PDB file of all heavy atoms in Angstrom:
ATOM      1  N   GLY L  32      21.148 -58.800 102.014  1.00 90.00           N
ATOM      2  CA  GLY L  32      20.523 -59.173 103.295  1.00 90.00           C
ATOM      3  C   GLY L  32      19.749 -58.033 103.945  1.00 90.00           C
ATOM      4  O   GLY L  32      19.172 -58.263 105.033  1.00 90.00           O
ATOM      5  N   ALA L  33      19.707 -56.844 103.356  1.00 92.00           N
ATOM      6  CA  ALA L  33      18.964 -55.760 103.946  1.00 92.00           C
ATOM      7  C   ALA L  33      17.471 -56.083 103.854  1.00 92.00           C
ATOM      8  O   ALA L  33      16.950 -56.467 102.809  1.00 92.00           O
ATOM      9  CB  ALA L  33      19.260 -54.443 103.229  1.00 92.00           C
ATOM     10  N   ARG L  34      16.770 -55.877 104.973  1.00 94.00           N
ATOM     11  CA  ARG L  34      15.332 -56.160 105.044  1.00 94.00           C
ATOM     12  C   ARG L  34      14.549 -54.872 105.219  1.00 94.00           C
ATOM     13  O   ARG L  34      14.782 -54.124 106.173  1.00 94.00           O
ATOM     14  CB  ARG L  34      15.055 -57.104 106.224  1.00 94.00           C
ATOM     15  CG  ARG L  34      13.580 -57.518 106.349  1.00 94.00           C
ATOM     16  CD  ARG L  34      13.399 -58.519 107.511  1.00 94.00           C
ATOM     17  NE  ARG L  34      13.606 -57.887 108.787  1.00 94.00           N
ATOM     18  CZ  ARG L  34      12.636 -57.229 109.459  1.00 94.00           C
ATOM     19  NH1 ARG L  34      11.443 -57.119 108.949  1.00 94.00           N
ATOM     20  NH2 ARG L  34      12.924 -56.707 110.647  1.00 94.00           N
ATOM     21  N   LEU L  35      13.645 -54.608 104.295  1.00 94.00           N
ATOM     22  CA  LEU L  35      12.846 -53.395 104.339  1.00 94.00           C
ATOM     23  C   LEU L  35      11.864 -53.482 105.488  1.00 94.00           C
ATOM     24  O   LEU L  35      11.072 -54.428 105.602  1.00 94.00           O
ATOM     25  CB  LEU L  35      12.113 -53.179 103.018  1.00 94.00           C
ATOM     26  CG  LEU L  35      11.310 -51.894 102.879  1.00 94.00           C
ATOM     27  CD1 LEU L  35      12.270 -50.697 102.907  1.00 94.00           C
ATOM     28  CD2 LEU L  35      10.489 -51.898 101.587  1.00 94.00           C
ATOM     29  N   MET L  36      11.866 -52.477 106.357  1.00 92.00           N
ATOM     30  CA  MET L  36      10.984 -52.428 107.510  1.00 92.00           C
ATOM     31  C   MET L  36       9.819 -51.411 107.295  1.00 92.00           C
ATOM     32  O   MET L  36       8.713 -51.613 107.755  1.00 92.00           O
ATOM     33  CB  MET L  36      11.725 -52.042 108.796  1.00 92.00           C
ATOM     34  CG  MET L  36      12.816 -53.008 109.131  1.00 92.00           C
ATOM     35  SD  MET L  36      13.821 -52.450 110.525  1.00 92.00           S
ATOM     36  CE  MET L  36      12.636 -52.496 111.868  1.00 92.00           C
ATOM     37  N   LYS L  37      10.102 -50.309 106.583  1.00 90.00           N
ATOM     38  CA  LYS L  37       9.107 -49.281 106.373  1.00 90.00           C
ATOM     39  C   LYS L  37       9.514 -48.448 105.184  1.00 90.00           C
ATOM     40  O   LYS L  37      10.691 -48.159 105.011  1.00 90.00           O
ATOM     41  CB  LYS L  37       8.959 -48.398 107.614  1.00 90.00           C
ATOM     42  CG  LYS L  37       7.956 -47.290 107.506  1.00 90.00           C
ATOM     43  CD  LYS L  37       7.912 -46.442 108.767  1.00 90.00           C
ATOM     44  CE  LYS L  37       6.946 -45.262 108.630  1.00 90.00           C
ATOM     45  NZ  LYS L  37       6.912 -44.430 109.867  1.00 90.00           N
ATOM     46  N   ASP L  38       8.554 -48.079 104.357  1.00 91.00           N
ATOM     47  CA  ASP L  38       8.813 -47.212 103.221  1.00 91.00           C
ATOM     48  C   ASP L  38       7.609 -46.307 103.035  1.00 91.00           C
ATOM     49  O   ASP L  38       6.552 -46.745 102.550  1.00 91.00           O
ATOM     50  CB  ASP L  38       9.078 -48.033 101.950  1.00 91.00           C
ATOM     51  CG  ASP L  38       9.655 -47.165 100.825  1.00 91.00           C
ATOM     52  OD1 ASP L  38       9.895 -45.949 101.054  1.00 91.00           O
ATOM     53  OD2 ASP L  38       9.886 -47.708  99.729  1.00 91.00           O
ATOM     54  N   SER L  39       7.744 -45.038 103.449  1.00 89.00           N
ATOM     55  CA  SER L  39       6.626 -44.100 103.387  1.00 89.00           C
ATOM     56  C   SER L  39       7.120 -42.786 102.762  1.00 89.00           C
ATOM     57  O   SER L  39       8.273 -42.674 102.379  1.00 89.00           O
ATOM     58  CB  SER L  39       6.071 -43.823 104.784  1.00 89.00           C
ATOM     59  OG  SER L  39       6.996 -43.118 105.575  1.00 89.00           O
ATOM     60  N   ARG L  40       6.251 -41.826 102.691  1.00 86.00           N
ATOM     61  CA  ARG L  40       6.583 -40.531 102.124  1.00 86.00           C
ATOM     62  C   ARG L  40       7.666 -39.816 102.932  1.00 86.00           C
ATOM     63  O   ARG L  40       8.453 -39.071 102.397  1.00 86.00           O
ATOM     64  CB  ARG L  40       5.329 -39.663 102.040  1.00 86.00           C
ATOM     65  CG  ARG L  40       5.554 -38.306 101.368  1.00 86.00           C
ATOM     66  CD  ARG L  40       4.229 -37.548 101.311  1.00 86.00           C
ATOM     67  NE  ARG L  40       3.780 -37.182 102.611  1.00 86.00           N
ATOM     68  CZ  ARG L  40       4.125 -36.040 103.274  1.00 86.00           C
ATOM     69  NH1 ARG L  40       4.975 -35.224 102.705  1.00 86.00           N
ATOM     70  NH2 ARG L  40       3.639 -35.787 104.478  1.00 86.00           N
ATOM     71  N   THR L  41       7.691 -40.042 104.242  1.00 88.00           N
ATOM     72  CA  THR L  41       8.586 -39.273 105.118  1.00 88.00           C
ATOM     73  C   THR L  41       9.845 -40.055 105.490  1.00 88.00           C
ATOM     74  O   THR L  41      10.891 -39.434 105.700  1.00 88.00           O
ATOM     75  CB  THR L  41       7.861 -38.869 106.391  1.00 88.00           C
ATOM     76  OG1 THR L  41       7.344 -40.065 107.038  1.00 88.00           O
ATOM     77  CG2 THR L  41       6.701 -37.943 106.065  1.00 88.00           C
ATOM     78  N   THR L  42       9.788 -41.382 105.585  1.00 91.00           N
ATOM     79  CA  THR L  42      10.945 -42.162 106.040  1.00 91.00           C
ATOM     80  C   THR L  42      11.051 -43.488 105.318  1.00 91.00           C
ATOM     81  O   THR L  42      10.031 -43.989 104.752  1.00 91.00           O
ATOM     82  CB  THR L  42      10.861 -42.445 107.550  1.00 91.00           C
ATOM     83  OG1 THR L  42       9.657 -43.165 107.824  1.00 91.00           O
ATOM     84  CG2 THR L  42      10.949 -41.191 108.389  1.00 91.00           C
ATOM     85  N   ARG L  43      12.237 -44.020 105.303  1.00 93.00           N
ATOM     86  CA  ARG L  43      12.477 -45.365 104.806  1.00 93.00           C
ATOM     87  C   ARG L  43      13.423 -46.063 105.750  1.00 93.00           C
ATOM     88  O   ARG L  43      14.481 -45.516 106.108  1.00 93.00           O
ATOM     89  CB  ARG L  43      13.067 -45.347 103.395  1.00 93.00           C
ATOM     90  CG  ARG L  43      13.119 -46.706 102.757  1.00 93.00           C
ATOM     91  CD  ARG L  43      13.719 -46.709 101.355  1.00 93.00           C
ATOM     92  NE  ARG L  43      13.527 -47.965 100.694  1.00 93.00           N
ATOM     93  CZ  ARG L  43      14.188 -48.372  99.628  1.00 93.00           C
ATOM     94  NH1 ARG L  43      15.076 -47.531  99.074  1.00 93.00           N
ATOM     95  NH2 ARG L  43      13.950 -49.529  99.067  1.00 93.00           N
ATOM     96  N   LEU L  44      13.064 -47.268 106.200  1.00 94.00           N
ATOM     97  CA  LEU L  44      13.874 -48.006 107.174  1.00 94.00           C
ATOM     98  C   LEU L  44      14.221 -49.391 106.643  1.00 94.00           C
ATOM     99  O   LEU L  44      13.350 -50.073 106.036  1.00 94.00           O
ATOM    100  CB  LEU L  44      13.101 -48.207 108.492  1.00 94.00           C
ATOM    101  CG  LEU L  44      13.020 -47.090 109.490  1.00 94.00           C
ATOM    102  CD1 LEU L  44      12.008 -46.051 109.080  1.00 94.00           C
ATOM    103  CD2 LEU L  44      12.674 -47.612 110.866  1.00 94.00           C
ATOM    104  N   VAL L  45      15.468 -49.789 106.854  1.00 95.00           N
ATOM    105  CA  VAL L  45      15.861 -51.165 106.583  1.00 95.00           C
ATOM    106  C   VAL L  45      16.641 -51.700 107.738  1.00 95.00           C
ATOM    107  O   VAL L  45      17.276 -50.929 108.493  1.00 95.00           O
ATOM    108  CB  VAL L  45      16.725 -51.275 105.293  1.00 95.00           C
ATOM    109  CG1 VAL L  45      15.956 -50.899 104.071  1.00 95.00           C
ATOM    110  CG2 VAL L  45      18.010 -50.465 105.424  1.00 95.00           C
ATOM    111  N   GLU L  46      16.564 -52.994 107.944  1.00 95.00           N
ATOM    112  CA  GLU L  46      17.413 -53.687 108.911  1.00 95.00           C
ATOM    113  C   GLU L  46      18.569 -54.313 108.162  1.00 95.00           C
ATOM    114  O   GLU L  46      18.329 -55.032 107.191  1.00 95.00           O
ATOM    115  CB  GLU L  46      16.636 -54.746 109.674  1.00 95.00           C
ATOM    116  CG  GLU L  46      17.519 -55.520 110.657  1.00 95.00           C
ATOM    117  CD  GLU L  46      16.768 -56.690 111.310  1.00 95.00           C
ATOM    118  OE1 GLU L  46      15.545 -56.767 111.161  1.00 95.00           O
ATOM    119  OE2 GLU L  46      17.442 -57.507 111.947  1.00 95.00           O
ATOM    120  N   THR L  47      19.809 -54.008 108.585  1.00 96.00           N
ATOM    121  CA  THR L  47      20.967 -54.546 107.943  1.00 96.00           C
ATOM    122  C   THR L  47      22.002 -54.900 109.003  1.00 96.00           C
ATOM    123  O   THR L  47      21.737 -54.744 110.184  1.00 96.00           O
ATOM    124  CB  THR L  47      21.524 -53.571 106.902  1.00 96.00           C
ATOM    125  OG1 THR L  47      22.615 -54.207 106.203  1.00 96.00           O
ATOM    126  CG2 THR L  47      22.018 -52.291 107.569  1.00 96.00           C
ATOM    127  N   THR L  48      23.162 -55.350 108.572  1.00 95.00           N
ATOM    128  CA  THR L  48      24.205 -55.768 109.502  1.00 95.00           C
ATOM    129  C   THR L  48      25.469 -54.929 109.299  1.00 95.00           C
ATOM    130  O   THR L  48      25.898 -54.727 108.146  1.00 95.00           O
ATOM    131  CB  THR L  48      24.556 -57.255 109.292  1.00 95.00           C
ATOM    132  OG1 THR L  48      23.385 -58.054 109.494  1.00 95.00           O
ATOM    133  CG2 THR L  48      25.622 -57.706 110.325  1.00 95.00           C
ATOM    134  N   MET L  49      26.025 -54.431 110.389  1.00 96.00           N
ATOM    135  CA  MET L  49      27.274 -53.654 110.344  1.00 96.00           C
ATOM    136  C   MET L  49      28.180 -54.111 111.473  1.00 96.00           C
ATOM    137  O   MET L  49      27.729 -54.716 112.449  1.00 96.00           O
ATOM    138  CB  MET L  49      26.973 -52.156 110.464  1.00 96.00           C
ATOM    139  CG  MET L  49      26.248 -51.542 109.287  1.00 96.00           C
ATOM    140  SD  MET L  49      26.073 -49.729 109.463  1.00 96.00           S
ATOM    141  CE  MET L  49      25.292 -49.338 107.865  1.00 96.00           C
ATOM    142  N   LEU L  50      29.462 -53.788 111.310  1.00 96.00           N
ATOM    143  CA  LEU L  50      30.419 -54.098 112.357  1.00 96.00           C
ATOM    144  C   LEU L  50      30.336 -53.055 113.459  1.00 96.00           C
ATOM    145  O   LEU L  50      30.609 -51.897 113.252  1.00 96.00           O
ATOM    146  CB  LEU L  50      31.842 -54.153 111.787  1.00 96.00           C
ATOM    147  CG  LEU L  50      32.254 -55.380 111.030  1.00 96.00           C
ATOM    148  CD1 LEU L  50      33.673 -55.224 110.472  1.00 96.00           C
ATOM    149  CD2 LEU L  50      32.211 -56.626 111.919  1.00 96.00           C
ATOM    150  N   VAL L  51      29.966 -53.490 114.661  1.00 96.00           N
ATOM    151  CA  VAL L  51      29.857 -52.607 115.832  1.00 96.00           C
ATOM    152  C   VAL L  51      30.690 -53.234 116.939  1.00 96.00           C
ATOM    153  O   VAL L  51      30.433 -54.380 117.332  1.00 96.00           O
ATOM    154  CB  VAL L  51      28.380 -52.440 116.239  1.00 96.00           C
ATOM    155  CG1 VAL L  51      28.305 -51.518 117.480  1.00 96.00           C
ATOM    156  CG2 VAL L  51      27.555 -51.883 115.107  1.00 96.00           C
ATOM    157  N   ASP L  52      31.646 -52.450 117.413  1.00 94.00           N
ATOM    158  CA  ASP L  52      32.547 -52.958 118.467  1.00 94.00           C
ATOM    159  C   ASP L  52      33.205 -54.241 118.047  1.00 94.00           C
ATOM    160  O   ASP L  52      33.409 -55.158 118.870  1.00 94.00           O
ATOM    161  CB  ASP L  52      31.751 -53.118 119.759  1.00 94.00           C
ATOM    162  CG  ASP L  52      32.655 -53.056 121.006  1.00 94.00           C
ATOM    163  OD1 ASP L  52      33.788 -52.575 120.886  1.00 94.00           O
ATOM    164  OD2 ASP L  52      32.210 -53.474 122.087  1.00 94.00           O
ATOM    165  N   GLY L  53      33.518 -54.378 116.756  1.00 92.00           N
ATOM    166  CA  GLY L  53      34.233 -55.515 116.261  1.00 92.00           C
ATOM    167  C   GLY L  53      33.363 -56.723 115.967  1.00 92.00           C
ATOM    168  O   GLY L  53      33.887 -57.781 115.541  1.00 92.00           O
ATOM    169  N   ARG L  54      32.036 -56.632 116.139  1.00 95.00           N
ATOM    170  CA  ARG L  54      31.144 -57.775 115.932  1.00 95.00           C
ATOM    171  C   ARG L  54      30.056 -57.424 114.959  1.00 95.00           C
ATOM    172  O   ARG L  54      29.511 -56.280 114.969  1.00 95.00           O
ATOM    173  CB  ARG L  54      30.544 -58.215 117.254  1.00 95.00           C
ATOM    174  CG  ARG L  54      31.529 -58.702 118.280  1.00 95.00           C
ATOM    175  CD  ARG L  54      30.774 -59.304 119.474  1.00 95.00           C
ATOM    176  NE  ARG L  54      29.964 -58.264 120.101  1.00 95.00           N
ATOM    177  CZ  ARG L  54      30.393 -57.465 121.077  1.00 95.00           C
ATOM    178  NH1 ARG L  54      31.635 -57.527 121.483  1.00 95.00           N
ATOM    179  NH2 ARG L  54      29.560 -56.573 121.597  1.00 95.00           N
ATOM    180  N   PRO L  55      29.672 -58.361 114.071  1.00 95.00           N
ATOM    181  CA  PRO L  55      28.498 -58.102 113.191  1.00 95.00           C
ATOM    182  C   PRO L  55      27.244 -57.894 114.033  1.00 95.00           C
ATOM    183  O   PRO L  55      26.903 -58.752 114.874  1.00 95.00           O
ATOM    184  CB  PRO L  55      28.425 -59.370 112.326  1.00 95.00           C
ATOM    185  CG  PRO L  55      29.751 -59.993 112.413  1.00 95.00           C
ATOM    186  CD  PRO L  55      30.293 -59.643 113.758  1.00 95.00           C
ATOM    187  N   THR L  56      26.566 -56.778 113.842  1.00 96.00           N
ATOM    188  CA  THR L  56      25.436 -56.431 114.668  1.00 96.00           C
ATOM    189  C   THR L  56      24.274 -55.952 113.782  1.00 96.00           C
ATOM    190  O   THR L  56      24.476 -55.236 112.828  1.00 96.00           O
ATOM    191  CB  THR L  56      25.827 -55.284 115.651  1.00 96.00           C
ATOM    192  OG1 THR L  56      26.959 -55.716 116.418  1.00 96.00           O
ATOM    193  CG2 THR L  56      24.689 -54.942 116.592  1.00 96.00           C
ATOM    194  N   SER L  57      23.073 -56.349 114.152  1.00 96.00           N
ATOM    195  CA  SER L  57      21.885 -55.876 113.453  1.00 96.00           C
ATOM    196  C   SER L  57      21.625 -54.426 113.775  1.00 96.00           C
ATOM    197  O   SER L  57      21.635 -54.032 114.959  1.00 96.00           O
ATOM    198  CB  SER L  57      20.662 -56.723 113.821  1.00 96.00           C
ATOM    199  OG  SER L  57      20.806 -58.023 113.362  1.00 96.00           O
ATOM    200  N   VAL L  58      21.474 -53.596 112.753  1.00 96.00           N
ATOM    201  CA  VAL L  58      21.229 -52.172 112.954  1.00 96.00           C
ATOM    202  C   VAL L  58      20.002 -51.740 112.132  1.00 96.00           C
ATOM    203  O   VAL L  58      19.628 -52.441 111.171  1.00 96.00           O
ATOM    204  CB  VAL L  58      22.453 -51.303 112.549  1.00 96.00           C
ATOM    205  CG1 VAL L  58      23.662 -51.708 113.345  1.00 96.00           C
ATOM    206  CG2 VAL L  58      22.711 -51.404 111.064  1.00 96.00           C
ATOM    207  N   VAL L  59      19.435 -50.631 112.524  1.00 96.00           N
ATOM    208  CA  VAL L  59      18.337 -50.036 111.753  1.00 96.00           C
ATOM    209  C   VAL L  59      18.912 -48.782 111.053  1.00 96.00           C
ATOM    210  O   VAL L  59      19.439 -47.898 111.698  1.00 96.00           O
ATOM    211  CB  VAL L  59      17.157 -49.637 112.685  1.00 96.00           C
ATOM    212  CG1 VAL L  59      16.092 -48.884 111.881  1.00 96.00           C
ATOM    213  CG2 VAL L  59      16.586 -50.867 113.345  1.00 96.00           C
ATOM    214  N   TYR L  60      18.776 -48.779 109.733  1.00 97.00           N
ATOM    215  CA  TYR L  60      19.254 -47.654 108.898  1.00 97.00           C
ATOM    216  C   TYR L  60      18.019 -46.898 108.446  1.00 97.00           C
ATOM    217  O   TYR L  60      17.170 -47.423 107.724  1.00 97.00           O
ATOM    218  CB  TYR L  60      20.066 -48.161 107.732  1.00 97.00           C
ATOM    219  CG  TYR L  60      20.819 -47.076 106.990  1.00 97.00           C
ATOM    220  CD1 TYR L  60      21.995 -46.559 107.498  1.00 97.00           C
ATOM    221  CD2 TYR L  60      20.349 -46.593 105.773  1.00 97.00           C
ATOM    222  CE1 TYR L  60      22.669 -45.553 106.839  1.00 97.00           C
ATOM    223  CE2 TYR L  60      21.051 -45.589 105.111  1.00 97.00           C
ATOM    224  CZ  TYR L  60      22.217 -45.082 105.632  1.00 97.00           C
ATOM    225  OH  TYR L  60      22.898 -44.084 104.994  1.00 97.00           O
ATOM    226  N   LYS L  61      17.919 -45.633 108.831  1.00 96.00           N
ATOM    227  CA  LYS L  61      16.711 -44.838 108.576  1.00 96.00           C
ATOM    228  C   LYS L  61      17.052 -43.601 107.787  1.00 96.00           C
ATOM    229  O   LYS L  61      17.954 -42.865 108.129  1.00 96.00           O
ATOM    230  CB  LYS L  61      16.095 -44.444 109.936  1.00 96.00           C
ATOM    231  CG  LYS L  61      14.778 -43.680 109.804  1.00 96.00           C
ATOM    232  CD  LYS L  61      14.187 -43.433 111.223  1.00 96.00           C
ATOM    233  CE  LYS L  61      12.821 -42.754 111.137  1.00 96.00           C
ATOM    234  NZ  LYS L  61      12.252 -42.570 112.486  1.00 96.00           N
ATOM    235  N   ARG L  62      16.306 -43.419 106.698  1.00 94.00           N
ATOM    236  CA  ARG L  62      16.453 -42.192 105.923  1.00 94.00           C
ATOM    237  C   ARG L  62      15.239 -41.290 106.131  1.00 94.00           C
ATOM    238  O   ARG L  62      14.068 -41.728 106.032  1.00 94.00           O
ATOM    239  CB  ARG L  62      16.535 -42.539 104.399  1.00 94.00           C
ATOM    240  CG  ARG L  62      16.752 -41.301 103.513  1.00 94.00           C
ATOM    241  CD  ARG L  62      16.864 -41.666 102.056  1.00 94.00           C
ATOM    242  NE  ARG L  62      15.572 -42.113 101.542  1.00 94.00           N
ATOM    243  CZ  ARG L  62      15.439 -42.768 100.398  1.00 94.00           C
ATOM    244  NH1 ARG L  62      16.519 -43.048  99.666  1.00 94.00           N
ATOM    245  NH2 ARG L  62      14.247 -43.195  99.960  1.00 94.00           N
ATOM    246  N   PHE L  63      15.495 -40.050 106.406  1.00 91.00           N
ATOM    247  CA  PHE L  63      14.461 -39.059 106.560  1.00 91.00           C
ATOM    248  C   PHE L  63      14.308 -38.324 105.207  1.00 91.00           C
ATOM    249  O   PHE L  63      15.179 -37.561 104.817  1.00 91.00           O
ATOM    250  CB  PHE L  63      14.795 -38.052 107.670  1.00 91.00           C
ATOM    251  CG  PHE L  63      14.855 -38.658 109.061  1.00 91.00           C
ATOM    252  CD1 PHE L  63      15.937 -39.354 109.483  1.00 91.00           C
ATOM    253  CD2 PHE L  63      13.769 -38.539 109.897  1.00 91.00           C
ATOM    254  CE1 PHE L  63      15.995 -39.934 110.734  1.00 91.00           C
ATOM    255  CE2 PHE L  63      13.812 -39.086 111.173  1.00 91.00           C
ATOM    256  CZ  PHE L  63      14.913 -39.801 111.590  1.00 91.00           C
ATOM    257  N   ASN L  64      13.272 -38.625 104.479  1.00 86.00           N
ATOM    258  CA  ASN L  64      13.047 -38.027 103.176  1.00 86.00           C
ATOM    259  C   ASN L  64      12.682 -36.566 103.274  1.00 86.00           C
ATOM    260  O   ASN L  64      12.123 -36.103 104.284  1.00 86.00           O
ATOM    261  CB  ASN L  64      11.926 -38.762 102.431  1.00 86.00           C
ATOM    262  CG  ASN L  64      12.231 -40.226 102.208  1.00 86.00           C
ATOM    263  OD1 ASN L  64      13.406 -40.579 102.072  1.00 86.00           O
ATOM    264  ND2 ASN L  64      11.213 -41.069 102.210  1.00 86.00           N
ATOM    265  N   ARG L  65      12.969 -35.852 102.242  1.00 79.00           N
ATOM    266  CA  ARG L  65      12.542 -34.438 102.150  1.00 79.00           C
ATOM    267  C   ARG L  65      11.051 -34.366 101.920  1.00 79.00           C
ATOM    268  O   ARG L  65      10.515 -34.951 100.980  1.00 79.00           O
ATOM    269  CB  ARG L  65      13.279 -33.699 101.051  1.00 79.00           C
ATOM    270  CG  ARG L  65      14.706 -33.371 101.347  1.00 79.00           C
ATOM    271  CD  ARG L  65      15.340 -32.608 100.181  1.00 79.00           C
ATOM    272  NE  ARG L  65      15.398 -33.453  98.974  1.00 79.00           N
ATOM    273  CZ  ARG L  65      15.111 -33.002  97.782  1.00 79.00           C
ATOM    274  NH1 ARG L  65      14.709 -31.781  97.581  1.00 79.00           N
ATOM    275  NH2 ARG L  65      15.223 -33.807  96.744  1.00 79.00           N
ATOM    276  N   LYS L  66      10.336 -33.677 102.795  1.00 72.00           N
ATOM    277  CA  LYS L  66       8.892 -33.509 102.615  1.00 72.00           C
ATOM    278  C   LYS L  66       8.600 -32.438 101.563  1.00 72.00           C
ATOM    279  O   LYS L  66       7.672 -32.561 100.791  1.00 72.00           O
ATOM    280  CB  LYS L  66       8.220 -33.112 103.923  1.00 72.00           C
ATOM    281  CG  LYS L  66       8.274 -34.193 105.011  1.00 72.00           C
ATOM    282  CD  LYS L  66       7.537 -33.695 106.263  1.00 72.00           C
ATOM    283  CE  LYS L  66       7.527 -34.769 107.351  1.00 72.00           C
ATOM    284  NZ  LYS L  66       6.805 -34.274 108.564  1.00 72.00           N
ATOM    285  N   LYS L  67       9.413 -31.367 101.587  1.00 71.00           N
ATOM    286  CA  LYS L  67       9.223 -30.247 100.669  1.00 71.00           C
ATOM    287  C   LYS L  67      10.563 -29.844 100.086  1.00 71.00           C
ATOM    288  O   LYS L  67      11.627 -30.128 100.653  1.00 71.00           O
ATOM    289  CB  LYS L  67       8.582 -29.052 101.373  1.00 71.00           C
ATOM    290  CG  LYS L  67       7.251 -29.380 102.052  1.00 71.00           C
ATOM    291  CD  LYS L  67       6.753 -28.173 102.850  1.00 71.00           C
ATOM    292  CE  LYS L  67       5.432 -28.514 103.549  1.00 71.00           C
ATOM    293  NZ  LYS L  67       4.945 -27.365 104.362  1.00 71.00           N
ATOM    294  N   TRP L  68      10.527 -29.147  98.972  1.00 66.00           N
ATOM    295  CA  TRP L  68      11.773 -28.753  98.341  1.00 66.00           C
ATOM    296  C   TRP L  68      12.572 -27.759  99.177  1.00 66.00           C
ATOM    297  O   TRP L  68      13.770 -27.675  99.051  1.00 66.00           O
ATOM    298  CB  TRP L  68      11.474 -28.097  96.958  1.00 66.00           C
ATOM    299  CG  TRP L  68      10.707 -26.771  97.068  1.00 66.00           C
ATOM    300  CD1 TRP L  68       9.396 -26.581  97.062  1.00 66.00           C
ATOM    301  CD2 TRP L  68      11.308 -25.479  97.206  1.00 66.00           C
ATOM    302  NE1 TRP L  68       9.091 -25.265  97.209  1.00 66.00           N
ATOM    303  CE2 TRP L  68      10.239 -24.537  97.284  1.00 66.00           C
ATOM    304  CE3 TRP L  68      12.632 -25.016  97.284  1.00 66.00           C
ATOM    305  CZ2 TRP L  68      10.468 -23.185  97.451  1.00 66.00           C
ATOM    306  CZ3 TRP L  68      12.847 -23.660  97.434  1.00 66.00           C
ATOM    307  CH2 TRP L  68      11.762 -22.762  97.508  1.00 66.00           C
ATOM    308  N   ILE L  69      11.890 -27.047 100.067  1.00 71.00           N
ATOM    309  CA  ILE L  69      12.538 -26.013 100.877  1.00 71.00           C
ATOM    310  C   ILE L  69      13.172 -26.562 102.152  1.00 71.00           C
ATOM    311  O   ILE L  69      13.870 -25.882 102.873  1.00 71.00           O
ATOM    312  CB  ILE L  69      11.523 -24.905 101.242  1.00 71.00           C
ATOM    313  CG1 ILE L  69      12.265 -23.604 101.602  1.00 71.00           C
ATOM    314  CG2 ILE L  69      10.602 -25.348 102.351  1.00 71.00           C
ATOM    315  CD1 ILE L  69      11.360 -22.403 101.794  1.00 71.00           C
ATOM    316  N   ASP L  70      12.979 -27.867 102.421  1.00 71.00           N
ATOM    317  CA  ASP L  70      13.509 -28.447 103.644  1.00 71.00           C
ATOM    318  C   ASP L  70      15.014 -28.271 103.826  1.00 71.00           C
ATOM    319  O   ASP L  70      15.470 -27.914 104.910  1.00 71.00           O
ATOM    320  CB  ASP L  70      13.172 -29.947 103.716  1.00 71.00           C
ATOM    321  CG  ASP L  70      11.735 -30.179 104.161  1.00 71.00           C
ATOM    322  OD1 ASP L  70      11.079 -29.176 104.537  1.00 71.00           O
ATOM    323  OD2 ASP L  70      11.276 -31.325 104.131  1.00 71.00           O
ATOM    324  N   PRO L  71      15.850 -28.442 102.785  1.00 67.00           N
ATOM    325  CA  PRO L  71      17.292 -28.222 102.936  1.00 67.00           C
ATOM    326  C   PRO L  71      17.633 -26.801 103.337  1.00 67.00           C
ATOM    327  O   PRO L  71      18.571 -26.562 104.114  1.00 67.00           O
ATOM    328  CB  PRO L  71      17.875 -28.564 101.568  1.00 67.00           C
ATOM    329  CG  PRO L  71      16.893 -29.510 100.960  1.00 67.00           C
ATOM    330  CD  PRO L  71      15.559 -29.012 101.446  1.00 67.00           C
TER     331      PRO L  71
END
């Protein structure tokens, strides 16, 4: 059920569902990609 919202060189976003305060809630899960090898 995860829905892709954005996929670029710098970030990737999906909308998914997680339990928040005991209730299924739509959330945005965002990954910040490494731009350069030295970023870490």
Side-chain angles (χ1 to χ4, degrees):
R34 182 177 69 86
L35 184 65
M36 300 174 65
K37 179 181 178 181
D38 193 2
S39 68
R40 183 179 66 88
T41 58
T42 57
R43 189 181 191 196
L44 280 78
V45 295
E46 178 186 349
T47 186
T48 301
M49 292 185 176
L50 282 177
V51 180
D52 204 16
R54 298 186 299 271
T56 304
S57 293
V58 303
V59 174
Y60 192 77
K61 183 175 184 178
R62 182 180 70 196
F63 294 80
N64 299 329
R65 285 182 295 138
K66 294 182 179 180
K67 302 176 182 178
W68 67 268
I69 201 172
D70 280 353

